Amino acid sequence: MAQVETIPVRAARYSEGVLPAESSGPQAALGREALVHADSLHSLARYLTGNAADAEDLVQETYARALRGADQFAPGTNLRAWLFRILRNTFVSAYRRRRNSPIVGGLDTVTPSIHASSEDAWLRGDAELDQLRGLVAGEIEAALMALGEEARMVILLDLEGLTEVEVAHVVGCAVGTVKSRLSRARAALRQRLRDYAT
Amino acid sequence: MDCSDAQLHLLDYQRGRLAADLRGEIRAHLEGCPACRDEELAERELTTLLDRRPRYPASADLKRRLAAEWASAPAAPPRASWRRWATSLAPALATAAVFLIATSLYYGQQRAADEVAGLVGEAVNDHLRVLSGRRPLEVESGAIHQVKPWFQGRLDFAPVVPFAGDEAFPLQGGAIEYFLDRQAAVFVYKRRLHTASLFVFRAEGLPWPDRGLEPLGSVPAYRTTARGFHVVLWRAGELGYALVSDVEASELRELASRIAAG
């Protein structure tokens, strides 16, 4: 995997013990709601950056940008998707030079077939199913990290429960592109997880 | 429908995002196509596997820093539309004093409205997750005496829902969801082809509407509409209740009455 650059935003010093619950106003209310999603954002950041320090910085910068643009958020719309979009854009701008450097090929190197052949069938009976179910979390993470960044992004956003329309809004592409990326990324994951299981 | 059509929609099919007619076409195709059935099983297994991926929640220290940053930031300026309105309404009176008074009144009302909007928005979002299948029922049963015990040991409170469902509003089952920062018991009722989600959660520490309330049995309730869904909020004891559906408002009020009355 390409060397991960440090996001050029370091944690500033903040006074502790001042929680939004103690403050008021629309911005504070938005802040409280936004903080509910900190775990999901941090988990995505960790999978994108590949390390804990950069993930923290990415999340912190995401919230800083959200705070600066709080008046642009339309109440009643999907706050979570809005935050994911800011995180994605922050990630892309900070990591632009090292984008599209997946470990194993790009998305277009994986072409899922309509029906897997009998030799390549992902599930060959209960024995293989049991092996797959025996995969440990670390192997699942390794398979995810082997995807390209955009593929990893759509897979993780989908797993976070975003619809394809919401994912398209987050990553800034057409819904059809999301569907295609998702399909190819899942095919790549199936191949890799089968390799781990056998 | 051929295999490529069916597989194009498999994920949406598994997540309950398809219209009824397309869902029926895919189900019919799967019944007659062993290869696509295998594919559907494989995709389902992959999703189950991926749901076991390691999660990396934000550290408590990071959350403290984020909270402090939002708390200490200066208030955002009013929205552009508000500025335009204020300017055109009273150009002759646009002194600093008047503006400050108007702004403080605006924020005073907005604060309560925004907090209630947050509750309502969360309820609708959670309901959408139920509808989309992203939060599938974890216990499917029409019997309340099977659903309620299922929550034991899974929640840090005992959800009080005396209404067991009936012919008009049959109970479908239950699940556990997050409502804002806390766990909620989810009870799903049906009304013809419509779904109604009831979220029961600890109400402590949550902002709660204190205007526009109307009686619901022996408790005051707040009714509103957001993004096409009707929402009813009420409290009973330490528990908060949020009921969401796209059924007629009168029908949802009837269901809320049965739940609240027990």
Side-chain angles (χ1 to χ4, degrees):
Chain A
M1 186 175 187
Q3 181 63 39
V4 175
E5 296 174 18
T6 301
I7 296 179
V9 178
R10 304 302 307 182
R13 288 182 177 276
Y14 294 94
S15 59
E16 295 195 355
V18 186
L19 296 173
E22 297 164 8
S23 50
S24 60
Q27 188 166 286
L30 181 65
R32 278 195 293 276
E33 196 176 342
L35 286 172
V36 170
H37 305 298
D39 287 341
S40 297
L41 288 163
H42 186 268
S43 200
L44 177 63
R46 175 66 186 264
Y47 274 100
L48 291 178
T49 63
N51 70 82
D54 285 346
E56 284 224 347
D57 286 348
L58 178 54
V59 171
Q60 186 145 334
E61 176 60 8
T62 296
Y63 275 91
R65 290 188 182 195
L67 179 59
R68 289 197 293 274
D71 61 329
Q72 295 168 21
F73 175 73
T77 59
N78 190 330
L79 174 61
R80 195 154 170 260
W82 185 67
L83 290 168
F84 274 132
R85 181 174 170 80
I86 295 173
L87 184 141
R88 186 261 180 191
N89 289 343
T90 306
F91 173 76
V92 168
S93 61
Y95 287 74
R96 189 178 299 278
R97 279 175 296 179
R98 69 167 192 86
R99 286 181 67 196
N100 301 322
S101 53
I103 292 176
V104 183
L107 282 175
D108 294 335
T109 63
V110 181
T111 305
S113 58
I114 294 299
H115 291 312
S117 69
S118 58
E119 288 183 354
D120 291 339
W122 196 53
L123 301 172
R124 285 172 294 195
D126 291 342
E128 184 163 346
L129 198 56
D130 287 343
Q131 283 180 309
L132 281 167
R133 287 171 177 162
L135 284 172
V136 297
E139 291 169 320
I140 298 168
E141 179 177 18
L144 284 166
M145 295 305 290
L147 294 171
E149 287 164 359
E150 292 291 355
R152 207 181 314 148
M153 183 106 61
V154 297
I155 283 283
L156 290 164
L157 290 171
D158 174 65
L159 291 171
E160 287 289 344
L162 271 65
T163 66
E164 287 169 350
V165 172
E166 290 169 335
V167 174
H169 175 69
V170 170
V171 303
C173 67
V175 175
T177 306
V178 169
K179 195 179 275 291
S180 167
R181 284 181 185 172
L182 204 50
S183 171
R184 290 173 183 277
R186 287 179 70 93
L189 282 170
R190 280 164 58 167
Q191 285 185 6
R192 182 158 290 268
L193 288 167
R194 186 191 58 195
D195 291 344
Y196 285 147
T198 53
Chain B
M1 170 169 288
D2 62 20
C3 294
S4 59
D5 286 337
Q7 293 186 23
L8 185 66
H9 297 295
L10 268 187
L11 277 183
D12 288 331
Y13 173 77
Q14 291 174 345
R15 285 155 198 190
R17 292 175 184 156
L18 296 179
D21 52 348
L22 185 53
R23 191 167 62 240
E25 283 183 47
I26 290 180
R27 188 183 299 120
H29 179 86
L30 291 176
E31 286 171 2
C33 178
C36 281
R37 260 203 318 276
D38 288 346
E39 180 71 9
E40 199 267 343
L41 173 63
E43 284 295 86
R44 194 178 295 278
E45 285 294 330
L46 177 63
T47 300
T48 303
L49 265 180
L50 293 176
D51 279 340
R52 286 170 38 208
R53 70 194 182 281
R55 310 297 171 100
Y56 295 101
S59 67
D61 182 54
L62 174 61
K63 287 178 180 174
R64 263 197 303 276
R65 278 185 276 133
L66 295 174
E69 183 178 19
W70 278 76
S72 61
R79 297 179 70 80
S81 58
W82 166 256
R83 285 200 299 270
R84 281 198 302 274
W85 179 82
T87 304
S88 62
L89 179 68
L93 302 175
T95 62
V98 170
F99 182 77
L100 284 173
I101 292 169
T103 305
S104 63
L105 284 173
Y106 169 76
Y107 277 132
Q109 294 169 357
Q110 275 301 107
R111 176 189 174 189
D114 287 340
E115 289 180 340
V116 172
L119 277 183
V120 171
E122 177 70 3
V124 172
N125 286 341
D126 287 349
H127 178 63
L128 287 170
R129 277 194 280 274
V130 171
L131 291 181
S132 71
R134 291 304 299 171
R135 179 58 59 191
L137 294 180
E138 290 164 284
V139 50
E140 290 195 57
S141 170
I144 195 77
H145 66 270
Q146 291 176 327
V147 175
K148 284 177 72 175
W150 179 83
F151 287 109
Q152 288 178 2
R154 292 180 167 88
L155 293 168
D156 55 0
F157 66 96
V160 179
V161 178
F163 180 57
D166 56 20
E167 284 190 0
F169 299 99
L171 178 66
Q172 296 292 296
I176 292 176
E177 172 67 282
Y178 265 89
F179 191 88
L180 296 175
D181 59 348
R182 60 202 67 197
Q183 284 185 315
V186 187
F187 295 83
V188 177
Y189 297 89
K190 296 296 278 190
R191 175 65 170 170
R192 298 185 301 278
L193 296 178
H194 301 274
T195 298
S197 301
L198 172 71
F199 304 95
V200 187
F201 45 88
R202 285 185 185 280
E204 182 184 3
L206 289 180
W208 209 259
D210 56 4
R211 295 182 179 188
L213 302 178
E214 59 183 55
L216 180 70
S218 60
V219 297
Y222 177 79
R223 290 199 302 134
T224 188
T225 300
R227 286 181 279 163
F229 293 95
H230 301 298
V231 180
V232 186
L233 301 173
W234 73 94
R235 298 175 67 154
E238 296 180 343
L239 298 181
Y241 293 76
L243 182 64
V244 190
S245 182
D246 61 347
V247 295
E248 289 293 323
S250 58
E251 293 180 306
L252 193 66
R253 187 172 60 227
E254 172 60 27
L255 175 58
S257 298
R258 297 185 193 196
I259 295 169

